[in-house]
């Protein structure tokens, strides 16, 4: 029942083109600084860069040595330094310090900063303030999108989430807009755009502006529809423990830029092995979307098949053997290697996940989602905190509790928070402040309501900005109406019914049949209704900000049903999880369409919460 | 028409012709005598400065600008310093280089644009000679100073002064010099007597032109060609040496037999011509030299100047304006006497046809027999392009059109576009416009540039007409450029009101693509009409363009809200940073307060750059909560304990102000904990500072400091459960079973006894674990029994509780072989439990 290809699956566009474009531009930029040079790369750009241009290609373009940006003094004897960085003030400041240090030492070098995906004025301001503006040349590498797989495109901007939703810094909005514009200019326009969330709206606006500026192209669209969704529309989904194989691998081993490093406990040797996880991996592509309880059985079946394939050798004559070795053996060997790795991974998964602890954790999560035995859940969470089981997991359960219950009772809030601080230190006061700001962990309040506060502030400013302020407030302190939403959209299937995870009924299978991801359900509903009509209640609970636009200049009606019409592009602003991707793949299969996921980054509960910790800065 | 060849002169293989372009419309009393004259290439304007050496204020020199046909464009008395040289830039701006090295820039209608200096060194030692040159980078200025040093600016729009190295042995001014463009660099070539030097950025290199005749003792004149590729040198022996400008190859050398120094020398070579040729001018005499020994000599009546062009030389005198050029190939083929070229035959055929003579057919037949008809048409079309007289053009085009009738599949583009081009060229060559472009020049300069030139002359209607006629595509934006210039000009008309102008501009520009209203608004602002500028900016759809100007005209609040509306963070940053420097702090903060987006951006910036400002910001907003957080954060960066506690104290104060008792209390606890940790660290030597309460207690228990742990437990009101878990774990870790048992009995466990069982099992002590099984609550009994591996106990407990799911759990753990009896019992119990 693997989810791979079904018969009339529409053809996906070839996204490797994006890589080629990015590579060509990078090479062009490197050649702008002729001669040997040392290249400093932002640590989080290392993996994406490797997918675009490997070391050999860089060396071909006169890159001498490669360094990671570590914000420390450097040792480089080269006369030309090139920095490939994200536009962050901190990094730019570090570079300015380097330049100034060289100046003091009387050393003459040439410096070039390549910002990716774009330059920010703030960074240039820093250069100016530090007095090195004239010494450094700057450039932009418009590397907006990294194709992680056939159907996953990533902007590789994990900080998008924190910057946009916590800090209120919308600098990446235009980046997301440009990414869409890039897709459109390479692959053709879209016939319809839907979205929900404040950021989604802004991204759409930015994209629309780019469209208007650029020349109009009337090409047959490659995607039928686009759906933009803010991460803060649905925080519940990324906070749940993932139980489909790919998600679980991400939770346990952390998939980085489409590849994962399996440690010695998986490889059953003393080495770690790096594996690319994508549809090229035949074994992986068959199990990635499976509930992990099925995976083991599937793998052992696969192992048996493999053995049979090997066994074919017996009784072959020389000629057949020769053909076997040259045609099949290599493939089998490869499959064998991958199979043993995945078996190792799922074994180590089983070890960790079938333990009672995990079962209880899942049970608590499901109770929270269903909304019963809340007291028991609180007790469980308390124990979890007291026993210092896991800093992030405790936080995750707290957030899940708060969202599903629409805030914690004052008494609970204080006691749980106090206990958490005792366990993990007072620095988490800041974490809690952040969580509250995002509406992830709140105290139920009787006193001052939001509207009062709004009108107070509203008096201070002119009429034009009031609207914007209200928007800002509502997104800052958004109320979770999870329970009501869940009822209206039937997110939680009725308990008591058996759910056969081998034969998924609906998208709930990605959470063991306990919960349909809200984000994916919204997408399903909107696509089904071709808009937001009938979902007014739902959008009101999600603080509105929904939109649906019929795209571009091209006449959307009366177009024949081409393959492209069955491809839907979903953009998650602030990250999406592998569970959501699996759910969408399932949905696509059900509806005979295919989803392409564009995300600012792949996220999971740990990444989401770690982004909100404040102790690192 | 019959005498097309009347003005042709043979030189070697080729012919040269001199065409009159205009009779000059100006009325100069003394001709060009004692004038500084500069004429721009591509039929550009001519500037004259009369009496430029006059210094007395009573008789100021007069600067005059004329079109190529001699119509006055501007005239004004020169009030600045002594001018050494006039010259035109590639964009038709007039450069006036003064003695002190200051360069004044005027537009071609005499409006002052700006000035710049050629550096201190130049102004001190004064300008001796100067040359204005064109290179691929734009227009440059080269100066030879009184100190015999060269200073160079390659592009006056992006001035980078370069002082070239000294020339060894140079005593006085070099006999002549020129600026060359080689290897993407501008270099100076100079002659000191018979020695030649090339000066570049770093060195002065002596060079020798190959094959220069030995009679010469000095080089008196030099010039490079329009394409910078060739160089001509004139020696005092009267020889003209022509070669490539890298001095690697000699093309020819000709003796002019005149030994007096000439007034001017220029290349006269058309692109792709076989023969190098130069024009040398003395008083009253003009000589064309080529490859052969012979020369062409022209007599000049009047003082003249030479203007080198892409495909010839223009000769401007006090009364006439002429073009001297090598006769283009196509024209030569057609008009050469007794030519049998297909073009010539076609022209003849057409003439006969018009005379209704059957000879037309004969001629045509002759061409067609050689199947050269398409070649003939092509020749006629091309030749038409090179002819100046509309009558000749028409004759040739008619012949071409006639020939076309006998051809199928002949592509019409060339003919059509030539007709269009000629129409445009004839229009701009008109006396009133005065831009005598040749077709070759026109193709080189492109329509866009021609339109620009018309716009500079404020010939908007003609420019628009040409755009429409040539159907220039919208995306090239030629049309909008014209409109923009018109609008910029319009907004400077002081007599009309803001409303009228704004309306006029918006109506005319409304449907043109790619109009930049901000540029027009800038112009309006520059001419002192701020209100009009704001009005015009309203039409600007791109905020990125609106905002900078709004800042400039000091409408910063408007700029800020426009920037925010645009959703472009960069733009907001630009405004915020500008305001930060422009306003005082209080006003700045006030403005930010009203704009949450800008405020949060600025906060981000401050987080990295200016922590203190962040504090001020929160202070102003009375945001004590955030201030408290800020202090807590700062405390983690602080290494010294005292400072850390001090910061936390500040945080406590802020939290109290924010009425956040919880945070305040917690922070106070933290301070207490830190002090406690330090005390213990000093006494016991355990590393504790910075640990959370939980971790501190764990550490204390693990090293056996039970008393201190208990103290923390009491002081910090640690929940019983936590403490029990802690102690349980640490005792088990140390395998101190005795102490564990004591602890277990000390009072009733708040966490129950199942954890005891589990912890013991985890440390593989089944014996100890069993001790606690009996104490476990009934609900957890089954689990406890199972944990210690006591199946019967588990079964017992499960059956007693009649709990179906528990029975199933036990069942699933039984193995069929050993626990046969037990399973039977369980199954029975299960059956009854289900019944109930």
């Amino acid at each position: 029942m693997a989810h791979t290809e079904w018969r009339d699956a529409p053809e996906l566009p070839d996204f490797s083109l994006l890589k080629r474009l990015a590579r060509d531009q990078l090479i062009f930029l490197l050649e702008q600084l002729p001669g040997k040079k040392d290249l400093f790369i932002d640590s989080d750009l290392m993996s994406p860069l490797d997918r675009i241009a490997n070391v050999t290609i860089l060396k071909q373009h006169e890159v001498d040595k490669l360094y990671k940006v570590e914000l420390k003094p450097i040792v480089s004897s080269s006369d030309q330094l090139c920095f490939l960085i994200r536009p962050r003030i901190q990094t730019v400041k570090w570079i300015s310090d380097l330049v100034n240090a060289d100046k003091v030492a009387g050393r003459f070098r040439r410096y070039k900063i390549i910002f990716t995906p774009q330059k920010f004025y703030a960074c240039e301001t820093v250069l100016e303030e530090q007095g090195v503006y004239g010494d450094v040349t700057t450039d932009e590498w418009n590397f907006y999108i990294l194709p992680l797989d056939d159907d996953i495109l990533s902007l590789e901007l994990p900080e998008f989430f924190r910057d946009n939703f916590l800090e209120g810094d919308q600098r990446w909005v235009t980046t997301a807009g440009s990414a869409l514009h890039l897709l459109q200019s390479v692959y053709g326009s879209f016939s319809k755009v839907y979205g929900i969330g404040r950021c989604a709206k802004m991204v759409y606006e930015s994209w629309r502006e780019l469209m208007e500026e650029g020349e109009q192209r009337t090409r047959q669209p490659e995607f039928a529809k686009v759906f933009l969704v803010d991460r803060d529309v649905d925080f519940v989904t990324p906070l749940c423990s993932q139980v489909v194989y790919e998600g679980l691998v991400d939770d346990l081993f952390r998939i980085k830029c489409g590849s994962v490093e399996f440690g010695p406990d998986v490889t059953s040797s003393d080495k770690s092995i790096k594996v690319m996880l994508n549809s090229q991996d035949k074994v992986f592509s068959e199990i990635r979307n499976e509930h992990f309880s099925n995976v083991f059985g599937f793998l052992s079946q696969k192992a048996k098949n493999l053995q049979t394939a090997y066994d074919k050798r017996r009784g072959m004559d020389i000629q057949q053997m020769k053909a076997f070795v040259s045609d099949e053996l290599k493939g089998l060997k490869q499959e064998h290697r991958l199979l043993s790795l995945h078996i190792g991974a799922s074994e180590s998964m089983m070890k960790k996940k079938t333990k009672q602890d995990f079962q209880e954790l899942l049970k608590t999560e499901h109770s929270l989602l269903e909304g019963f035995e809340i007291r028991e859940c609180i007790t469980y969470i308390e124990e979890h905190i007291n026993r210092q089981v896991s800093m992030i997991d405790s936080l995750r359960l707290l957030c899940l509790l708060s969202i599903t219950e629409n805030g914690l009772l004052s008494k609970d809030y204080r006691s749980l928070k106090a206990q958490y601080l005792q366990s993990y230190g007072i620095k988490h006061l800041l974490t809690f402040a952040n969580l509250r700001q995002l509406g992830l962990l709140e105290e139920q309040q009787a006193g001052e309501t939001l509207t009062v506060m709004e009108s107070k502030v509203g008096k201070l400013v002119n009429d034009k900005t009031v609207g914007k302020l209200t928007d800002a407030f509502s997104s800052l302190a958004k109320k979770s109406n999870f329970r009501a939403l869940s009822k209206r959209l039937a997110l939680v299937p009725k308990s008591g019914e058996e759910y056969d995870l081998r034969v998924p009924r609906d998208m709930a299978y990605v959470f063991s049949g306990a919960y349909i991801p809200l984000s994916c359900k919204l997408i399903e509903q909107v696509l089904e209704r071709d808009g937001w009509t009938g979902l007014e209640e739902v959008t009101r609970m999600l603080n509105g900000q929904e939109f649906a636009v019929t795209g571009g200049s091209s006449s959307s009606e009366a177009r024949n049903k081409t393959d492209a019409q069955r491809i839907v592009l979903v953009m998650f602003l602030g990250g999406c999880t592998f569970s959501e991707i699996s759910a969408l793949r399932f949905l696509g299969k059900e509806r005979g369409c295919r989803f392409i996921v564009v995300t600012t980054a792949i996220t999971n509960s740990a990444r989401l919460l770690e982004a909100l910790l404040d102790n690192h800065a | 028409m019959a005498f097309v060849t009347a003005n042709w002169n043979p030189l070697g293989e080729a012919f040269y012709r001199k065409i009159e372009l205009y009779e000059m419309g100006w009325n100069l009393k003394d001709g060009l005598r004692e004038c500084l004259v500069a004429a721009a290439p591509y039929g550009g304007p001519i500037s004259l400065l009369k009496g430029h050496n006059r210094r007395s204020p009573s008789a100021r020199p007069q600067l005059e600008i004329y079109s190529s046909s001699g119509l006055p464009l501007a005239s004004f008395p020169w009030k600045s310093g002594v001018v050494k040289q006039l010259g035109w830039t590639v964009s038709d701006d007039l450069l006036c280089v003064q003695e002190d090295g200051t360069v004044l820039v005027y537009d071609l209608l005499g409006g002052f644009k700006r000035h710049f200096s050629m550096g201190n060194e130049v102004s001190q030692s004064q300008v001796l000679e100067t040359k204005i040159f064109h290179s691929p980078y734009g227009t440059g200025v080269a100066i030879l100073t009184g100190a015999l040093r060269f200073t160079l600016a390659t592009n006056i729009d992006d001035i980078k002064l370069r002082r070239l190295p000294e020339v060894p042995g140079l005593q006085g001014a070099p006999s002549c010099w020129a600026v060359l463009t080689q290897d993407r660099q501008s270099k100076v070539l100079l002659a000191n007597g018979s020695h030649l030097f090339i000066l570049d950025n770093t060195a002065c290199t002596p060079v020798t032109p190959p094959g220069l005749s030995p009679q010469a003792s000095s080089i008196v004149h030099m010039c490079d060609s329009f394409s910078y590729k060739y160089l001509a040198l004139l020696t005092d022996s009267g020889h003209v040496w022509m070669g490539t400008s890298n001095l690697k190859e000699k093309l020819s050398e000709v003796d002019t037999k005149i030994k007096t120094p000439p007034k001017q020398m220029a290349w006269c070579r058309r692109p792709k011509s076989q023969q190098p040729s130069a024009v040398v001018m003395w008083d009253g005499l003009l000589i064309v030299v080529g490859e052969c020994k012979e020369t062409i000599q022209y007599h000049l009546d009047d003082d003249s100047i030479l203007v080198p062009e892409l495909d010839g030389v223009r000769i401007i005198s006090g009364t006439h304006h002429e073009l001297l050029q090598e006769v283009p190939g196509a024209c030569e083929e057609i008009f050469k006497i007794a030519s049998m070229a297909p073009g010539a035959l076609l022209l003849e055929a057409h003439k006969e046809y018009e005379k209704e003579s059957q000879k037309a057919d004969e001629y045509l037949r002759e061409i067609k027999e050689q199947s050269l008809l398409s070649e003939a048409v092509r020749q006629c079309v091309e030749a038409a392009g090179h002819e100046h007289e509309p009558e000749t053009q028409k004759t040739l085009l008619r012949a071409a059109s006639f020939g076309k009738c006998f051809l199928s599949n002949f592509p019409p583009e060339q003919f059509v576009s030539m007709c269009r081009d000629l129409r445009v060229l004839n229009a701009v060559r008109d006396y009133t416009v005065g831009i005598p472009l040749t077709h070759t020049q026109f193709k080189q300069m492109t329509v866009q540039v021609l339109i620009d030139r018309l716009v500079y002359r404020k010939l908007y209607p003609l420019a628009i007409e040409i755009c429409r006629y040539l159907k220039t595509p919208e995306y090239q934006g030629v049309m909008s450029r014209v409109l923009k210039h018109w609008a910029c000009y319009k907004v400077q008309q002081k007599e009309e009101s803001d409303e009228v102008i704004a309306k006029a501009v918006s109506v005319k520009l409304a449907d043109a693509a790619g109009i930049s209203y901000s540029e027009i608004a800038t112009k309006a602002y520059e001419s002192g009409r701020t209100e009009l500028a704001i009005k015009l900016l309203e039409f600007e759809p791109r905020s990125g363009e609106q905002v900078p100007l709004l800042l400039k005209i000091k409408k910063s609040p408007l700029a800020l809200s426009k920037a925010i509306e645009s959703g472009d963070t960069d733009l907001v940053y630009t405004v915020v940073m500008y305001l930060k420097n422009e306003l005082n702090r209080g006003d700045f903060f006030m403005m930010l307060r009203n704009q949450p987006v800008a405020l949060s951006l600025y906060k981000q910036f401050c987080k990295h750059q200016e922590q203190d400002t962040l504090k001020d910001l929160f202070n102003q907003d009375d945001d004590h909560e955030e201030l408290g957080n800020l202090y807590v954060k700062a405390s983690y960066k602080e290494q010294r304990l005292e400072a850390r506690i001090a910061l936390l104290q500040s945080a406590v104060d802020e939290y109290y102000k924010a009425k956040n008792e919880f945070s305040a209390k917690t922070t106070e606890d933290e301070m207490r904990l830190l002090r406690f940790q330090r005390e213990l660290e000093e006494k016991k030597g355990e590393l504790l500072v910075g640990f959370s309460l939980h971790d501190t207690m764990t550490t204390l228990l693990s090293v056996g400091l039970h008393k201190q742990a208990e103290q923390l437990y009491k002081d910090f009101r640690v929940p019983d459960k936590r403490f029990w878990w802690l102690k349980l774990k640490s005792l088990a870790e140390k395998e101190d079973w005795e102490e564990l048992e004591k602890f277990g009995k000390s009072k009733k466990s708040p966490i129950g006894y199942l954890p005891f069982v589990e912890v013991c099992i985890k440390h593989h002590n089944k014996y100890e674990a069993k001790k606690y099984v009996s104490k476990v609550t009934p609900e957890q009994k089954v689990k406890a029994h199972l944990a210690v591996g006591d199946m019967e106990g588990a079964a017992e407990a499960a059956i007693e509780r009649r709990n179906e799911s528990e029975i199933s759990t036990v069942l699933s753990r039984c193995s069929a072989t050993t626990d046969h009896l037990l399973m039977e019992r369980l199954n029975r119990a299960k059956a009854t439990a289900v019944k109930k």
Side-chain angles (χ1 to χ4, degrees), chain A residues 93 121 167 388 419 422-423, chain B residues 570 607 692 694-695 722:
Chain A
K93 194 149 179 245
Y121 180 76
E167 314 270 9
Q388 274 193 321
Q419 299 201 39
Q422 283 186 356
S423 273
Chain B
D570 250 16
K607 241 180 222 169
S692 72
H694 186 102
D695 293 342
R722 179 192 294 273

Side-chain angles (χ1 to χ4, degrees), chain A residues 132-346:
Chain A
V132 296
Y133 191 72
D135 304 290
V136 179
T137 50
T138 56
D139 246 315
E140 279 182 351
W141 179 32
N142 305 118
F143 168 44
Y144 287 112
I145 298 172
L146 176 71
L148 289 179
D149 207 340
D150 294 346
D151 58 352
I152 311 175
L153 307 175
S154 170
L155 272 60
E156 292 294 310
L157 283 173
E159 63 243 67
F160 187 103
F161 174 66
R162 186 180 165 115
D163 281 348
N164 197 73
F165 295 107
L166 184 67
E167 314 270 9
D169 177 349
Q170 300 149 351
R171 66 168 88 187
W172 300 113
V173 167
T174 43
T175 314
S178 307
L180 283 173
H181 186 62
L182 172 70
L183 282 177
Q184 185 192 26
S185 55
V186 178
Y187 298 104
S189 54
F190 310 97
S191 54
K192 199 133 191 194
V193 183
Y194 312 100
I196 182 160
R198 194 169 121 81
C199 183
K201 215 169 193 173
M202 292 178 68
V203 167
Y204 173 72
E205 284 300 317
S206 143
W207 175 31
R208 194 179 50 80
E209 254 166 51
L210 284 172
M211 273 194 276
E212 279 168 11
E213 266 172 45
E215 49 185 295
Q216 297 293 330
R217 305 177 46 151
T218 41
R219 263 183 54 182
Q220 186 74 272
E222 293 235 23
F223 314 111
K225 288 157 185 175
V226 183
F227 196 101
L228 302 169
V229 58
D230 277 17
R231 185 69 277 172
D232 68 353
V233 165
D234 174 17
F235 274 134
V236 175
T237 309
L239 285 173
C240 294
S241 296
Q242 304 195 68
V243 286
V244 285
Y245 185 73
E246 191 168 14
L248 204 49
V249 171
D250 190 31
D251 272 0
L252 280 181
F253 305 100
R254 294 226 171 186
I255 298 176
K256 204 169 146 196
C257 207
S259 83
V260 72
E261 196 166 341
F262 284 130
D265 56 327
V266 173
T267 58
S268 52
S269 63
D270 45 0
K271 274 189 307 205
S272 293
I273 296 179
K274 241 184 173 175
V275 197
M276 294 288 281
L277 294 181
N278 54 34
S279 50
Q280 304 299 312
D281 177 341
K282 290 282 173 301
V283 180
F284 178 69
S285 70
E286 281 183 77
I287 54 173
R288 65 196 309 186
N289 300 315
E290 293 292 309
H291 191 273
F292 82 103
S293 59
N294 297 341
V295 168
F296 209 68
F298 176 84
L299 288 177
S300 56
Q301 183 57 43
K302 188 95 191 159
K304 270 180 214 144
N305 293 349
L306 200 61
Q307 191 57 47
T308 341
Y310 271 121
D311 288 346
K312 271 202 322 208
R313 279 181 300 182
R314 283 183 209 141
M316 278 182 183
D317 60 24
I318 294 285
Q319 210 54 40
Q320 284 168 326
M321 184 66 97
K322 202 172 159 195
F324 175 78
V325 171
S326 63
D327 301 339
E328 286 178 54
L329 197 60
K330 205 177 154 216
L332 288 178
K333 278 256 163 77
Q334 169 77 0
E335 209 173 323
H336 183 126
R337 197 181 67 87
L338 292 170
L339 193 59
S340 65
L341 270 177
H342 287 298
I343 290 179
S346 53

Side-chain angles (χ1 to χ4, degrees), chain A residues 120 169-174, chain B residues 567-574 601:
Chain A
F120 283 139
D169 177 349
Q170 300 149 351
R171 66 168 88 187
W172 300 113
V173 167
T174 43
Chain B
D568 180 347
T569 323
D570 250 16
L571 208 54
V572 183
Y573 253 126
T574 316
L601 277 178

Side-chain angles (χ1 to χ4, degrees), chain A residues 444-492:
Chain A
Q444 281 175 3
Q445 267 176 351
E448 199 172 40
T449 58
L450 205 64
T451 33
V452 178
M453 217 157 69
E454 253 172 61
S455 66
K456 251 196 207 166
V457 184
K459 270 174 211 147
L460 292 171
V461 272
N462 55 17
D463 294 335
K464 238 183 183 175
T465 39
V466 166
K468 303 213 168 253
L469 256 175
T470 320
D471 291 355
F473 269 110
S474 56
S475 86
L476 282 182
K478 88 180 326 173
K479 274 197 183 149
S480 151
N481 296 298
F482 181 76
R483 206 63 72 207
L485 273 173
S486 162
K487 201 180 264 170
R488 188 155 280 273
L489 291 172
L491 296 180
V492 178

Side-chain angles (χ1 to χ4, degrees), chain B residues 620-645:
Chain B
Q620 176 184 294
D621 283 357
D622 289 327
D623 193 342
H624 298 293
E625 180 86 37
E626 279 293 340
L627 271 172
N629 289 345
L630 197 67
Y631 282 120
V632 171
K633 202 173 195 174
S635 83
Y636 279 92
K637 284 193 191 137
E638 189 55 67
Q639 294 300 315
R640 290 171 307 119
L641 193 69
E642 276 315 314
R644 198 158 162 180
I645 289 176

